[in-house]
Short mmCIF file of all heavy atoms in Angstrom, two decimals:
data_model
loop_
_atom_site.label_atom_id
_atom_site.label_comp_id
_atom_site.label_asym_id
_atom_site.label_seq_id
_atom_site.Cartn_x
_atom_site.Cartn_y
_atom_site.Cartn_z
N MET A 1 18.95 18.08 4.46
CA MET A 1 17.78 18.82 4.71
C MET A 1 17.73 19.20 6.19
O MET A 1 17.87 18.34 7.10
CB MET A 1 16.58 18.01 4.29
CG MET A 1 15.24 18.66 4.73
SD MET A 1 13.83 17.62 4.47
CE MET A 1 13.33 18.31 2.92
N GLU A 2 17.50 20.53 6.47
CA GLU A 2 17.39 20.95 7.83
C GLU A 2 16.10 20.49 8.43
O GLU A 2 15.08 20.46 7.72
CB GLU A 2 17.47 22.52 7.90
CG GLU A 2 18.84 23.08 7.83
CD GLU A 2 18.80 24.53 8.10
OE1 GLU A 2 18.48 25.31 7.17
OE2 GLU A 2 19.09 24.90 9.26
N LYS A 3 16.13 20.22 9.74
CA LYS A 3 14.96 19.80 10.46
C LYS A 3 14.80 20.75 11.69
O LYS A 3 15.76 21.17 12.26
CB LYS A 3 15.01 18.37 10.95
CG LYS A 3 15.10 17.41 9.77
CD LYS A 3 14.87 16.06 10.19
CE LYS A 3 14.91 15.13 8.95
NZ LYS A 3 14.36 13.85 9.14
N TRP A 4 13.48 21.10 11.96
CA TRP A 4 13.23 22.03 12.98
C TRP A 4 12.25 21.41 13.96
O TRP A 4 11.47 20.54 13.63
CB TRP A 4 12.57 23.33 12.46
CG TRP A 4 13.38 24.02 11.39
CD1 TRP A 4 13.40 23.80 10.03
CD2 TRP A 4 14.36 25.01 11.64
NE1 TRP A 4 14.28 24.61 9.41
CE2 TRP A 4 14.95 25.36 10.37
CE3 TRP A 4 14.84 25.61 12.81
CZ2 TRP A 4 15.89 26.32 10.30
CZ3 TRP A 4 15.81 26.58 12.62
CH2 TRP A 4 16.33 26.94 11.40
N GLU A 5 12.35 21.88 15.25
CA GLU A 5 11.34 21.55 16.20
C GLU A 5 10.73 22.85 16.72
O GLU A 5 11.37 23.91 16.65
CB GLU A 5 11.86 20.74 17.36
CG GLU A 5 12.90 21.33 18.19
CD GLU A 5 13.43 20.42 19.25
OE1 GLU A 5 12.69 19.64 19.84
OE2 GLU A 5 14.69 20.52 19.59
N TYR A 6 9.50 22.79 17.14
CA TYR A 6 8.74 23.98 17.53
C TYR A 6 8.18 23.81 18.97
O TYR A 6 7.94 22.77 19.41
CB TYR A 6 7.58 24.23 16.62
CG TYR A 6 8.04 24.53 15.20
CD1 TYR A 6 8.32 23.49 14.25
CD2 TYR A 6 8.29 25.83 14.78
CE1 TYR A 6 8.76 23.77 13.02
CE2 TYR A 6 8.75 26.12 13.55
CZ TYR A 6 9.00 25.06 12.61
OH TYR A 6 9.47 25.35 11.34
N LYS A 7 8.06 25.00 19.62
CA LYS A 7 7.51 25.02 20.98
C LYS A 7 6.57 26.24 21.03
O LYS A 7 6.91 27.30 20.52
CB LYS A 7 8.66 25.18 22.01
CG LYS A 7 8.16 25.35 23.43
CD LYS A 7 9.31 25.58 24.41
CE LYS A 7 10.00 24.31 24.94
NZ LYS A 7 9.18 23.33 25.53
N THR A 8 5.45 26.02 21.67
CA THR A 8 4.44 27.13 21.84
C THR A 8 4.19 27.33 23.33
O THR A 8 3.99 26.31 24.05
CB THR A 8 3.13 26.75 21.08
OG1 THR A 8 3.40 26.52 19.73
CG2 THR A 8 2.12 27.87 21.25
N ILE A 9 4.20 28.57 23.76
CA ILE A 9 3.87 28.82 25.16
C ILE A 9 2.69 29.84 25.16
O ILE A 9 2.49 30.60 24.30
CB ILE A 9 5.08 29.45 25.99
CG1 ILE A 9 5.53 30.79 25.48
CG2 ILE A 9 6.23 28.43 26.05
CD1 ILE A 9 6.48 31.53 26.36
N LYS A 10 1.89 29.71 26.24
CA LYS A 10 0.79 30.61 26.44
C LYS A 10 1.05 31.38 27.80
O LYS A 10 1.45 30.78 28.74
CB LYS A 10 -0.54 29.84 26.63
CG LYS A 10 -0.95 29.21 25.32
CD LYS A 10 -2.41 28.71 25.47
CE LYS A 10 -2.41 27.35 26.04
NZ LYS A 10 -3.82 26.74 26.00
N VAL A 11 0.86 32.70 27.72
CA VAL A 11 1.08 33.47 28.87
C VAL A 11 -0.30 34.19 29.19
O VAL A 11 -0.88 34.84 28.29
CB VAL A 11 2.11 34.60 28.60
CG1 VAL A 11 2.27 35.49 29.81
CG2 VAL A 11 3.46 33.99 28.27
N GLU A 12 -0.80 33.98 30.35
CA GLU A 12 -2.10 34.52 30.79
C GLU A 12 -1.91 35.97 31.23
O GLU A 12 -1.07 36.20 32.17
CB GLU A 12 -2.70 33.74 31.93
CG GLU A 12 -2.82 32.25 31.60
CD GLU A 12 -4.19 31.84 31.21
OE1 GLU A 12 -5.15 32.58 31.57
OE2 GLU A 12 -4.34 30.88 30.53
N PRO A 13 -2.60 36.95 30.70
CA PRO A 13 -2.49 38.33 31.19
C PRO A 13 -3.13 38.42 32.55
O PRO A 13 -4.01 37.63 32.94
CB PRO A 13 -3.28 39.16 30.14
CG PRO A 13 -3.68 38.22 29.10
CD PRO A 13 -3.43 36.82 29.54
N LYS A 14 -2.79 39.50 33.29
CA LYS A 14 -3.31 39.73 34.64
C LYS A 14 -4.38 40.79 34.48
O LYS A 14 -4.67 41.29 33.41
CB LYS A 14 -2.20 40.23 35.48
CG LYS A 14 -0.96 39.40 35.56
CD LYS A 14 -0.95 38.51 36.74
CE LYS A 14 0.36 37.80 36.89
NZ LYS A 14 0.49 36.53 36.29
N GLY A 15 -5.01 41.12 35.53
CA GLY A 15 -6.07 42.11 35.59
C GLY A 15 -7.41 41.56 35.67
O GLY A 15 -7.61 40.37 35.29
N MET A 16 -8.40 42.28 36.09
CA MET A 16 -9.72 41.79 36.28
C MET A 16 -10.29 41.28 34.90
O MET A 16 -10.92 40.21 34.92
CB MET A 16 -10.67 42.91 36.81
CG MET A 16 -12.05 42.41 37.14
SD MET A 16 -12.99 43.65 38.09
CE MET A 16 -13.28 44.88 36.82
N MET A 17 -10.12 41.97 33.83
CA MET A 17 -10.58 41.50 32.51
C MET A 17 -9.46 41.02 31.61
O MET A 17 -9.63 40.75 30.44
CB MET A 17 -11.33 42.71 31.83
CG MET A 17 -12.52 43.22 32.55
SD MET A 17 -13.97 42.10 32.51
CE MET A 17 -14.39 42.21 30.78
N GLY A 18 -8.28 40.82 32.14
CA GLY A 18 -7.14 40.45 31.35
C GLY A 18 -6.53 41.67 30.70
O GLY A 18 -6.92 42.78 30.95
N GLY A 19 -5.63 41.40 29.81
CA GLY A 19 -5.02 42.47 28.99
C GLY A 19 -3.80 43.09 29.54
O GLY A 19 -3.16 43.96 28.95
N ILE A 20 -3.40 42.81 30.85
CA ILE A 20 -2.18 43.37 31.44
C ILE A 20 -1.11 42.23 31.45
O ILE A 20 -1.22 41.33 32.27
CB ILE A 20 -2.47 43.88 32.84
CG1 ILE A 20 -3.59 44.94 32.83
CG2 ILE A 20 -1.16 44.44 33.42
CD1 ILE A 20 -4.05 45.42 34.16
N LEU A 21 -0.14 42.43 30.56
CA LEU A 21 0.91 41.45 30.49
C LEU A 21 2.03 41.78 31.44
O LEU A 21 2.50 42.94 31.48
CB LEU A 21 1.47 41.40 29.03
CG LEU A 21 2.44 40.32 28.66
CD1 LEU A 21 1.78 38.95 28.90
CD2 LEU A 21 2.93 40.49 27.29
N ASP A 22 2.46 40.86 32.22
CA ASP A 22 3.61 41.07 33.15
C ASP A 22 4.87 40.92 32.32
O ASP A 22 5.41 39.85 32.03
CB ASP A 22 3.59 39.97 34.28
CG ASP A 22 4.70 40.14 35.29
OD1 ASP A 22 5.71 40.89 34.99
OD2 ASP A 22 4.61 39.53 36.39
N ILE A 23 5.37 42.12 31.89
CA ILE A 23 6.52 42.15 30.97
C ILE A 23 7.80 41.50 31.56
O ILE A 23 8.51 40.83 30.88
CB ILE A 23 6.87 43.65 30.62
CG1 ILE A 23 5.65 44.20 29.85
CG2 ILE A 23 8.16 43.74 29.78
CD1 ILE A 23 5.41 43.58 28.50
N GLU A 24 8.04 41.73 32.90
CA GLU A 24 9.20 41.10 33.50
C GLU A 24 9.16 39.58 33.46
O GLU A 24 10.10 38.90 33.11
CB GLU A 24 9.35 41.62 34.94
CG GLU A 24 9.79 43.02 34.97
CD GLU A 24 9.95 43.52 36.44
OE1 GLU A 24 9.85 42.70 37.36
OE2 GLU A 24 10.11 44.73 36.59
N GLU A 25 7.98 39.01 33.71
CA GLU A 25 7.78 37.55 33.70
C GLU A 25 7.86 37.06 32.23
O GLU A 25 8.50 35.98 32.03
CB GLU A 25 6.47 37.12 34.25
CG GLU A 25 6.14 35.70 34.18
CD GLU A 25 7.13 34.76 34.91
OE1 GLU A 25 7.79 35.23 35.86
OE2 GLU A 25 7.29 33.57 34.47
N PHE A 26 7.33 37.78 31.27
CA PHE A 26 7.36 37.42 29.90
C PHE A 26 8.78 37.47 29.38
O PHE A 26 9.27 36.51 28.75
CB PHE A 26 6.45 38.33 29.10
CG PHE A 26 6.21 37.90 27.69
CD1 PHE A 26 5.69 36.64 27.44
CD2 PHE A 26 6.43 38.75 26.61
CE1 PHE A 26 5.48 36.15 26.15
CE2 PHE A 26 6.18 38.30 25.29
CZ PHE A 26 5.72 37.03 25.06
N ASP A 27 9.50 38.49 29.69
CA ASP A 27 10.95 38.57 29.33
C ASP A 27 11.74 37.39 29.88
O ASP A 27 12.63 36.85 29.32
CB ASP A 27 11.54 39.93 29.80
CG ASP A 27 11.20 41.04 28.92
OD1 ASP A 27 10.65 40.89 27.79
OD2 ASP A 27 11.45 42.21 29.32
N TYR A 28 11.45 37.06 31.18
CA TYR A 28 12.10 35.95 31.83
C TYR A 28 11.92 34.69 31.06
O TYR A 28 12.89 33.93 30.81
CB TYR A 28 11.68 35.82 33.25
CG TYR A 28 12.19 34.59 33.95
CD1 TYR A 28 13.54 34.55 34.43
CD2 TYR A 28 11.42 33.43 34.09
CE1 TYR A 28 14.06 33.40 35.04
CE2 TYR A 28 11.94 32.32 34.63
CZ TYR A 28 13.25 32.25 35.17
OH TYR A 28 13.73 31.16 35.71
N GLN A 29 10.69 34.40 30.64
CA GLN A 29 10.39 33.20 29.92
C GLN A 29 11.09 33.16 28.56
O GLN A 29 11.66 32.18 28.11
CB GLN A 29 8.87 33.00 29.74
CG GLN A 29 8.18 32.65 31.04
CD GLN A 29 6.71 32.37 30.81
OE1 GLN A 29 6.28 31.84 29.84
NE2 GLN A 29 5.94 32.78 31.78
N LEU A 30 11.03 34.37 27.86
CA LEU A 30 11.66 34.47 26.53
C LEU A 30 13.18 34.26 26.67
O LEU A 30 13.80 33.51 25.87
CB LEU A 30 11.36 35.80 25.92
CG LEU A 30 9.96 36.11 25.57
CD1 LEU A 30 9.79 37.55 25.03
CD2 LEU A 30 9.40 35.14 24.55
N ASN A 31 13.80 34.83 27.63
CA ASN A 31 15.29 34.69 27.87
C ASN A 31 15.64 33.24 28.22
O ASN A 31 16.67 32.74 27.75
CB ASN A 31 15.79 35.72 28.85
CG ASN A 31 15.86 37.09 28.28
OD1 ASN A 31 16.21 37.30 27.13
ND2 ASN A 31 15.38 38.06 29.10
N LYS A 32 14.86 32.63 29.02
CA LYS A 32 15.10 31.29 29.46
C LYS A 32 15.11 30.34 28.27
O LYS A 32 15.96 29.54 28.08
CB LYS A 32 14.07 30.86 30.50
CG LYS A 32 14.31 29.56 31.09
CD LYS A 32 13.22 29.32 32.14
CE LYS A 32 13.25 27.91 32.65
NZ LYS A 32 12.17 27.58 33.62
N LEU A 33 14.09 30.49 27.37
CA LEU A 33 13.99 29.69 26.16
C LEU A 33 15.13 30.00 25.17
O LEU A 33 15.68 29.16 24.51
CB LEU A 33 12.63 29.78 25.53
CG LEU A 33 11.53 29.16 26.29
CD1 LEU A 33 10.20 29.58 25.74
CD2 LEU A 33 11.68 27.64 26.20
N GLY A 34 15.48 31.31 25.07
CA GLY A 34 16.56 31.71 24.24
C GLY A 34 17.89 31.09 24.64
O GLY A 34 18.69 30.72 23.77
N GLU A 35 18.13 30.95 25.92
CA GLU A 35 19.37 30.30 26.44
C GLU A 35 19.41 28.82 26.07
O GLU A 35 20.49 28.21 25.96
CB GLU A 35 19.43 30.48 27.95
CG GLU A 35 19.77 31.92 28.31
CD GLU A 35 19.73 32.02 29.84
OE1 GLU A 35 19.55 31.07 30.62
OE2 GLU A 35 19.91 33.24 30.28
N GLN A 36 18.19 28.23 25.86
CA GLN A 36 18.14 26.84 25.44
C GLN A 36 18.20 26.64 23.97
O GLN A 36 18.04 25.54 23.43
CB GLN A 36 16.85 26.21 25.98
CG GLN A 36 16.81 26.23 27.48
CD GLN A 36 15.41 25.77 27.97
OE1 GLN A 36 14.62 25.19 27.23
NE2 GLN A 36 15.14 26.13 29.22
N GLY A 37 18.42 27.75 23.20
CA GLY A 37 18.55 27.65 21.73
C GLY A 37 17.25 27.91 20.94
O GLY A 37 17.24 27.83 19.75
N TRP A 38 16.15 28.24 21.67
CA TRP A 38 14.87 28.57 20.98
C TRP A 38 14.87 29.95 20.44
O TRP A 38 15.33 30.90 21.12
CB TRP A 38 13.75 28.35 21.95
CG TRP A 38 13.48 26.96 22.36
CD1 TRP A 38 13.91 26.41 23.53
CD2 TRP A 38 12.86 25.91 21.58
NE1 TRP A 38 13.56 25.07 23.57
CE2 TRP A 38 12.89 24.74 22.38
CE3 TRP A 38 12.27 25.83 20.37
CZ2 TRP A 38 12.34 23.52 22.02
CZ3 TRP A 38 11.72 24.65 19.96
CH2 TRP A 38 11.75 23.54 20.75
N GLU A 39 14.38 30.15 19.25
CA GLU A 39 14.28 31.46 18.58
C GLU A 39 12.73 31.77 18.44
O GLU A 39 11.96 31.02 17.93
CB GLU A 39 14.87 31.45 17.25
CG GLU A 39 14.74 32.72 16.44
CD GLU A 39 15.34 32.69 15.02
OE1 GLU A 39 15.69 31.61 14.57
OE2 GLU A 39 15.36 33.72 14.41
N LEU A 40 12.42 33.02 18.94
CA LEU A 40 11.01 33.42 18.80
C LEU A 40 10.70 33.67 17.38
O LEU A 40 11.43 34.45 16.73
CB LEU A 40 10.78 34.68 19.68
CG LEU A 40 9.39 35.29 19.64
CD1 LEU A 40 8.44 34.34 20.34
CD2 LEU A 40 9.40 36.66 20.37
N VAL A 41 9.69 33.10 16.82
CA VAL A 41 9.25 33.33 15.41
C VAL A 41 7.93 34.03 15.31
O VAL A 41 7.63 34.64 14.25
CB VAL A 41 9.31 32.02 14.56
CG1 VAL A 41 10.69 31.48 14.42
CG2 VAL A 41 8.36 31.01 15.08
N SER A 42 7.10 34.00 16.33
CA SER A 42 5.83 34.65 16.25
C SER A 42 5.25 34.86 17.67
O SER A 42 5.55 34.08 18.54
CB SER A 42 4.77 33.81 15.47
OG SER A 42 3.55 34.47 15.35
N CYS A 43 4.55 35.98 17.83
CA CYS A 43 3.90 36.24 19.11
C CYS A 43 2.63 37.04 18.81
O CYS A 43 2.59 37.95 18.00
CB CYS A 43 4.82 37.08 19.95
SG CYS A 43 4.21 37.35 21.62
N PHE A 44 1.51 36.61 19.41
CA PHE A 44 0.24 37.21 19.18
C PHE A 44 -0.68 37.02 20.36
O PHE A 44 -0.43 36.19 21.26
CB PHE A 44 -0.43 36.67 17.85
CG PHE A 44 -0.63 35.20 17.85
CD1 PHE A 44 -1.78 34.62 18.27
CD2 PHE A 44 0.41 34.35 17.40
CE1 PHE A 44 -1.92 33.15 18.25
CE2 PHE A 44 0.29 33.01 17.37
CZ PHE A 44 -0.83 32.42 17.81
N SER A 45 -1.77 37.74 20.44
CA SER A 45 -2.67 37.56 21.54
C SER A 45 -4.01 37.04 21.00
O SER A 45 -4.36 37.20 19.82
CB SER A 45 -2.97 38.93 22.19
OG SER A 45 -3.62 39.85 21.39
N THR A 46 -4.73 36.35 21.88
CA THR A 46 -6.07 35.95 21.49
C THR A 46 -7.03 36.82 22.19
O THR A 46 -6.95 37.16 23.40
CB THR A 46 -6.36 34.47 21.91
OG1 THR A 46 -6.10 34.35 23.38
CG2 THR A 46 -5.35 33.53 21.23
N ASN A 47 -8.13 37.22 21.51
CA ASN A 47 -9.09 38.09 22.08
C ASN A 47 -10.13 37.42 22.92
O ASN A 47 -10.56 36.36 22.64
CB ASN A 47 -9.83 38.83 20.86
CG ASN A 47 -8.98 39.80 20.12
OD1 ASN A 47 -8.01 40.30 20.75
ND2 ASN A 47 -9.25 40.06 18.93
N ALA A 48 -10.55 38.10 24.03
CA ALA A 48 -11.57 37.61 24.88
C ALA A 48 -12.83 38.28 24.50
O ALA A 48 -13.81 37.70 24.10
CB ALA A 48 -11.24 37.87 26.34
N SER A 49 -12.85 39.63 24.60
CA SER A 49 -14.01 40.48 24.10
C SER A 49 -13.67 41.90 24.46
O SER A 49 -12.82 42.21 25.27
CB SER A 49 -15.30 40.06 24.81
OG SER A 49 -15.23 40.30 26.19
N ASN A 50 -14.31 42.77 23.73
CA ASN A 50 -14.11 44.24 23.90
C ASN A 50 -12.62 44.65 23.95
O ASN A 50 -12.21 45.52 24.66
CB ASN A 50 -14.73 44.64 25.29
CG ASN A 50 -16.27 44.44 25.26
OD1 ASN A 50 -16.90 44.64 24.26
ND2 ASN A 50 -16.74 44.01 26.36
N GLY A 51 -11.85 43.97 23.14
CA GLY A 51 -10.40 44.36 23.03
C GLY A 51 -9.48 43.77 24.07
O GLY A 51 -8.31 44.04 24.03
N TYR A 52 -10.01 43.01 25.05
CA TYR A 52 -9.17 42.43 26.02
C TYR A 52 -8.55 41.13 25.53
O TYR A 52 -9.12 40.44 24.71
CB TYR A 52 -9.96 42.10 27.30
CG TYR A 52 -10.45 43.37 28.06
CD1 TYR A 52 -11.72 43.83 27.88
CD2 TYR A 52 -9.55 44.08 28.80
CE1 TYR A 52 -12.15 44.94 28.53
CE2 TYR A 52 -9.99 45.18 29.44
CZ TYR A 52 -11.28 45.62 29.36
OH TYR A 52 -11.69 46.74 29.99
N SER A 53 -7.33 40.91 25.98
CA SER A 53 -6.60 39.66 25.56
C SER A 53 -6.87 38.55 26.59
O SER A 53 -6.82 38.76 27.78
CB SER A 53 -5.06 39.94 25.52
OG SER A 53 -4.85 40.84 24.51
N ARG A 54 -7.11 37.40 26.01
CA ARG A 54 -7.33 36.19 26.84
C ARG A 54 -5.96 35.59 27.25
O ARG A 54 -5.72 35.17 28.34
CB ARG A 54 -8.21 35.18 26.13
CG ARG A 54 -8.55 33.91 26.93
CD ARG A 54 -9.50 33.07 26.26
NE ARG A 54 -9.19 32.88 24.85
CZ ARG A 54 -10.09 32.78 23.92
NH1 ARG A 54 -11.33 32.92 24.10
NH2 ARG A 54 -9.72 32.54 22.64
N GLU A 55 -5.06 35.59 26.22
CA GLU A 55 -3.72 35.07 26.46
C GLU A 55 -2.78 35.54 25.36
O GLU A 55 -3.21 35.87 24.25
CB GLU A 55 -3.68 33.50 26.55
CG GLU A 55 -4.25 32.87 25.30
CD GLU A 55 -4.68 31.41 25.59
OE1 GLU A 55 -4.71 30.99 26.75
OE2 GLU A 55 -5.12 30.77 24.61
N ALA A 56 -1.48 35.53 25.64
CA ALA A 56 -0.48 35.82 24.65
C ALA A 56 0.10 34.48 24.25
O ALA A 56 0.44 33.63 25.16
CB ALA A 56 0.60 36.73 25.24
N ILE A 57 0.32 34.26 23.01
CA ILE A 57 0.89 33.06 22.42
C ILE A 57 2.20 33.36 21.81
O ILE A 57 2.32 34.30 21.06
CB ILE A 57 0.01 32.40 21.33
CG1 ILE A 57 -1.46 32.27 21.84
CG2 ILE A 57 0.54 31.10 20.86
CD1 ILE A 57 -1.70 31.23 22.83
N ALA A 58 3.26 32.58 22.17
CA ALA A 58 4.59 32.81 21.63
C ALA A 58 5.03 31.47 20.99
O ALA A 58 4.93 30.43 21.66
CB ALA A 58 5.59 33.25 22.68
N VAL A 59 5.47 31.54 19.76
CA VAL A 59 5.97 30.34 19.06
C VAL A 59 7.44 30.48 18.78
O VAL A 59 7.90 31.47 18.32
CB VAL A 59 5.19 30.18 17.71
CG1 VAL A 59 5.67 28.96 16.97
CG2 VAL A 59 3.68 30.12 17.93
N PHE A 60 8.16 29.38 19.13
CA PHE A 60 9.62 29.31 18.98
C PHE A 60 9.98 28.16 18.09
O PHE A 60 9.25 27.17 17.87
CB PHE A 60 10.23 29.06 20.36
CG PHE A 60 9.95 30.09 21.37
CD1 PHE A 60 8.79 30.10 22.13
CD2 PHE A 60 10.92 31.12 21.64
CE1 PHE A 60 8.53 31.07 23.07
CE2 PHE A 60 10.63 32.08 22.54
CZ PHE A 60 9.45 32.07 23.29
N LYS A 61 11.22 28.24 17.53
CA LYS A 61 11.78 27.13 16.82
C LYS A 61 13.27 27.00 17.04
O LYS A 61 13.93 27.93 17.50
CB LYS A 61 11.55 27.31 15.27
CG LYS A 61 12.42 28.30 14.56
CD LYS A 61 12.21 28.27 13.07
CE LYS A 61 13.19 29.16 12.41
NZ LYS A 61 13.08 29.19 10.95
N ARG A 62 13.82 25.83 16.85
CA ARG A 62 15.24 25.51 16.92
C ARG A 62 15.58 24.39 16.01
O ARG A 62 14.72 23.49 15.77
CB ARG A 62 15.74 25.39 18.30
CG ARG A 62 15.34 24.08 18.99
CD ARG A 62 15.93 24.01 20.43
NE ARG A 62 15.51 22.84 21.08
CZ ARG A 62 15.65 22.52 22.33
NH1 ARG A 62 16.45 23.35 23.11
NH2 ARG A 62 15.15 21.47 22.87
N ARG A 63 16.80 24.28 15.62
CA ARG A 63 17.21 23.16 14.80
C ARG A 63 17.22 21.88 15.61
O ARG A 63 17.58 21.90 16.77
CB ARG A 63 18.63 23.39 14.22
CG ARG A 63 18.65 24.38 13.09
CD ARG A 63 20.00 24.45 12.47
NE ARG A 63 20.03 25.37 11.35
CZ ARG A 63 20.15 26.69 11.49
NH1 ARG A 63 20.31 27.25 12.66
NH2 ARG A 63 20.13 27.45 10.39
N LYS A 64 16.83 20.81 14.95
CA LYS A 64 16.86 19.47 15.62
C LYS A 64 18.25 18.98 15.61
O LYS A 64 19.04 19.15 14.76
CB LYS A 64 15.90 18.54 14.92
CG LYS A 64 14.57 18.54 15.49
CD LYS A 64 13.76 17.41 14.90
CE LYS A 64 12.85 16.88 15.93
NZ LYS A 64 12.01 15.83 15.47
#
């Protein structure tokens, strides 16, 4: 039976009200985890209000 482990990261958007994701920093974090064998399985944002994002959540998995 295959076994998996999971990792979740939170990325805080920039800007006065949030909502501005630093793509270069986000890509850096994704690539760093990818090099360690983590595979991105889900990515979503959490709402603050009026359509602004409070944070981006990325979920990864890899075989144990």
